[in-house]
Amino acid sequence: MALIELEQISKHYQMGSQLVKAVHNVSLTIHHNEYIAFIGASGSGKSTMMNILGCLDSPTNGHYRLNDQNVATLDESALADIRNREIGFIFQSFNLLPRATALQNVMQPLIYLGIPFNERKNLAIEALANVQLEDRSDHLPNELSGGQRQRVAIARALVTKPSILLADEPTGNLDSQTSVEIMRLFDQLHKDGQTIIMVTHEDDIASHSNRQIKMKDGNILRDSSAI
Amino acid sequence: MLFSLAESFRSALLAIKAHGFRSFLTTLGIIIGVASVIAVVSVVQGLSYSINAEFENLGTNTLTIRADTPFKEALKGKIARITLDDYQTISDNVTGIDSMTPTYQGFGRVREIKFGSQMEVSNVLGTTASYRQVNSLYIDQGRFITLDDDKKSRRVVVIGPSLIEKLNLPSQPLGQFIQIAGEWFKIVGVTVSKGELFGIDQDNIVIMPFSTIQSLIGRQTKPQITIQLSLSKNADTHQVVSTIRRLLRSNHNLSHEQIDDFKIQTPEQLKSSFTSIIDGITMVLGGIVSISLLVGGIGIMNIMLVSVTERTREIGICKAIGAKRHHILMQFLIEAVVLSLLGGLIGIALGFGLGVLASMVIPNFPPAAVPLWAILIAFGFSAGVGVVFGIIPAAKAANLKPIDALRYE
Ligand SMILES: Nc1ncnc2c1ncn2[C@@H]1O[C@H](COP(=O)(O)OP(=O)(O)OP(=O)(O)O)[C@@H](O)[C@H]1O
Ligand SMILES: [Mg+2]
């Protein structure tokens, strides 16, 4: 059974008289434990795709089935549940809560899951340990390096054990040495069974994946698995 | 839900702490509003306690009859009077009266008291022995005036304690002679101090027998008097009042369409008219203060809207990791309520402090007192202000679409 099925998905923006087709008629199937990289020129619609996949944004047209559930018909509350349980999102700019410590950041998704404090804390400590940051748990985001922040974000994304890890240019704000560390972490997660979908500009980052999907002008130009 | 509430509370406190000074400024409206209501209420309530205590001293079964010129008559230059004839009529015809006291209040020269080279203006009363019981007056030295004093028009007086100092009398003034309106009077008693009411010294008083003061002002004048009477145990107050009213109306030749030119007051009435004045003051001030709470609420709404805008990205992040509408709504609502409750708390403390200070600074003012209801109302109001003015910003935050919130720069 497919994890994700996209059928003729479009995202259009009406900008004055101009219709921007950020994503246009994309159909795509993604299975469990795939390791995918979206590549392509700037403005080709990669981030738009990720936001739709992550249920942060809704498509203007088309069908999106996640775990055999039609996402288009879900209300805001059910979508919040999906973002909480099924999806871990990692951003280029980390997007940590600035006033919360590393530990509190990782605990945050568990609040929405309704897990009691002590259990929340244990799960968060475990998730931080998985990214080798247990000794930084009391630090605020601005007391951490970029690579450390991204690892906190990864711990937060994974703490609810989601079925998909989505990462939009996860190494975009990091130097090459740190990028290598993050990618090593991704490779390990994939080996442990995690489904990973990422966006990148860099070929050597993309080469970590098993399947590369190249986008152009809102369409899929080339899908390495389809060849 | 319960721990998510505790969670919201924690993050609300964090957010408030993060902008400590701004939070303080935000709550200033609430602080000032609540502080002024509490200060005013504490002062007014302190006043009302002391008035109530004052009325407790008057027996509950006493009536006071005094002249009360109707407005229409006053315009014609007439002055209503209660005279000794009225006194006689009542004492001859009304049953159920235990004791009755006429009181004449001296004026002009009859207020001037001399001792040696000292001169003092005092409240000079001519009355009878039962005045003491009716007015709960107690004797510190010597005795009160007696029936016999009255019968023989003795030149004796009982003085209030503050006159001892004012006239430079010896501290044991019994047997000393003082001069009133050029005549000599012997001091036979000193009353126990009654303190002050509304800043008026109640101990600057000279009491002499009624017949004595009559002889002092001349027998031929019909003095304007006040009549106090205490009812016997089984007397029906309404019955007595209506009988007196009928008698006085006929004495004063009042026709049907004319209204009473006198007032028969019970202590309850006096007390309730004071209470209604105080309640009125409290209401008016309460109204003014609720305007300042409104202003405070708008301040809170304003800053919460700013706070929502500032934290749009944070809201986006929370939504991206699974926060639902109610999580965000509760967080901002609780923040607004906590903010205004903090303001309320500071306001109550500040207001009480101000009230205590005011009642200490104003001479002869009773101590301030804050009733529990005022504190509860202040708390309720601040919480209400938080909810009412927090709901719009909170809803605005909760309704943000995750992608729009995340994209917000
Ligand atoms: N909110 C929006 N309103 C209007 N147009 C938008 C909006 N978001 C994206 N677009 C347009 O959609 C197109 C695709 O944008 P998208 O962010 O998906 O590109 P991208 O492939 O992620 O680019 P980059 O590599 O620079 O991040 C762009 O032309 C962009 O201008
Ligand atoms: Mg992008």
Side-chain angles (χ1 to χ4, degrees), chain A residues 46-47 168-169 199:
Chain A
K46 308 181 294 293
S47 293
D168 192 349
E169 302 191 41
V199 168

Side-chain angles (χ1 to χ4, degrees), chain B residues 189-346:
Chain B
V190 179
T191 65
V192 171
S193 170
K194 276 199 127 180
E196 317 191 17
L197 183 60
F198 301 132
I200 297 167
D201 181 5
Q202 307 220 81
D203 297 328
N204 185 2
I205 188 172
V206 175
I207 299 166
M208 66 175 74
F210 190 80
S211 62
T212 311
I213 208 163
Q214 244 185 324
S215 67
L216 200 63
I217 58 177
R219 287 279 169 190
Q220 61 281 19
T221 52
K222 280 191 174 175
Q224 166 76 288
I225 61 170
T226 307
I227 302 170
Q228 284 177 303
L229 46 87
S230 59
L231 304 179
S232 48
K233 275 230 157 56
N234 311 324
D236 175 357
T237 312
H238 285 281
Q239 179 84 47
V240 173
V241 168
S242 70
T243 313
I244 293 173
R245 184 160 172 249
R246 190 167 43 75
L247 290 168
L248 289 181
R249 285 185 67 88
S250 103
N251 257 15
H252 296 183
N253 296 318
L254 296 180
S255 63
H256 276 300
E257 52 270 20
Q258 283 178 294
I259 56 169
D260 292 350
D261 61 355
F262 53 86
K263 250 190 187 152
I264 306 172
Q265 285 171 315
T266 61
E268 305 297 285
Q269 280 175 331
L270 277 175
K271 187 171 157 181
S272 75
S273 64
F274 266 113
T275 310
S276 66
I277 289 171
I278 282 176
D279 287 351
I281 296 174
T282 311
M283 299 278 244
V284 168
L285 291 168
I288 294 170
V289 164
S290 59
I291 292 172
S292 79
L293 281 182
L294 187 76
V295 173
I298 292 169
I300 293 225
M301 173 150 78
N302 188 27
I303 218 69
M304 289 306 297
L305 284 170
V306 170
S307 174
V308 167
T309 309
E310 275 179 356
R311 275 145 68 190
T312 302
R313 258 185 96 84
E314 272 180 59
I315 295 165
I317 296 168
C318 287
K319 289 209 157 186
I321 61 178
K324 295 184 180 169
R325 282 194 70 233
H326 73 258
H327 290 119
I328 308 287
L329 190 81
M330 280 316 272
Q331 187 183 329
F332 280 90
L333 204 54
I334 285 177
E335 196 171 317
V337 169
V338 167
L339 207 56
S340 57
L341 274 183
L342 276 178
L345 204 66
I346 298 172

